[in-house]
Amino acid sequence: MAFSADELRVLRRALAIALHPMPLSDEDVQDCLRLAGSVDEAAGEAGRLRAFLLADLARYRNALPGSTTGYLELLQDALAAGYDPRPDDLSALRALRGRPAAAALLERCQVLAERSVRARLAGRSAGLTAPGPRSRLLALPGGRAAGREPDRPRTPAAPNPPRKPGERPMPKPSEAFPPRRRPAPPPSEERAAG
């Protein structure tokens, strides 16, 4: 995730305030809320991109062996993004291990899968659970929310900021890549009695 110069300025100021609480001006609070919204939006987009990548990977895996090159490239991209190989990936790579690229990727995936299983088992034996989703930033120490009553209802934020004139909305993966339609079966021809 990359931050702009203004976002870094706001982040530094928010971290300084978190370490040394002091009252915030309305402008500082708004800057922090905007930054929190940007981070939430980026995290959501990363989640959508990851889901799209995994769906694409599954599509290529189901089309093997005809999609070998595309599958291997997508799997490498997914691994670079932190994907833990699944049993389906390992079995697909075992079937393709005659190719040098697939054999090398199989070794890498086996190491990653083993490491992932060990980490899950260690977490389970220690009684650890997976972290939940990150919650939204609701208040900063010393900000406007400091004096607010805890049970006061909050107004929901607008779902999407208004777009600039002429700007097109970001298409969803299902809009960019619609599902394939199966070809219609040919009409049955009746033979004329001759």
Side-chain angles (χ1 to χ4, degrees):
M1 183 178 300
F3 291 104
S4 70
D6 286 338
E7 290 172 333
L8 281 175
R9 179 185 51 80
V10 171
L11 185 59
R12 273 193 222 112
R13 199 168 54 224
L15 289 173
I17 291 167
L19 292 173
H20 305 288
M22 65 177 82
L24 293 174
S25 68
D26 285 346
E27 182 183 336
D28 289 341
V29 171
Q30 289 302 317
D31 287 345
C32 290
L33 291 174
R34 270 194 296 275
L35 178 62
S38 296
V39 169
D40 287 340
E41 184 180 329
E45 185 63 32
R48 285 190 293 276
L49 182 61
R50 179 178 168 81
F52 176 72
L53 177 64
L54 295 180
D56 215 18
L57 183 65
R59 239 184 35 227
Y60 273 78
R61 184 176 51 237
N62 292 336
L64 287 173
S67 63
T68 301
T69 305
Y71 172 71
L72 295 177
E73 289 174 5
L74 279 173
L75 184 57
Q76 287 176 345
D77 290 346
L79 292 174
Y83 172 70
D84 284 331
R86 298 189 175 135
D88 292 342
D89 296 310
L90 295 174
S91 62
L93 288 171
R94 283 187 194 105
L96 298 171
R97 71 178 141 207
R99 296 174 180 246
L105 204 51
L106 175 61
E107 287 179 29
R108 180 177 172 199
C109 285
Q110 285 174 331
V111 169
L112 290 173
E114 183 178 331
R115 193 177 302 156
S116 174
V117 168
R118 287 178 191 234
R120 276 185 280 166
L121 289 176
R124 197 175 292 155
S125 67
L128 300 176
T129 58
R134 189 177 82 78
S135 62
R136 290 191 49 81
L137 175 66
L138 298 177
L140 295 172
R144 283 192 299 173
R148 198 183 322 180
E149 299 172 15
D151 292 342
R152 185 175 169 186
R154 292 178 172 79
T155 58
N160 290 325
R163 291 191 304 270
K164 297 174 187 168
E167 183 180 25
R168 296 179 56 204
M170 177 69 83
K172 294 185 244 174
S174 62
E175 295 169 342
F177 302 100
R180 291 185 179 173
R181 305 261 187 247
R182 295 181 187 252
S188 60
E189 296 179 15
E190 295 180 1
R191 294 186 167 215

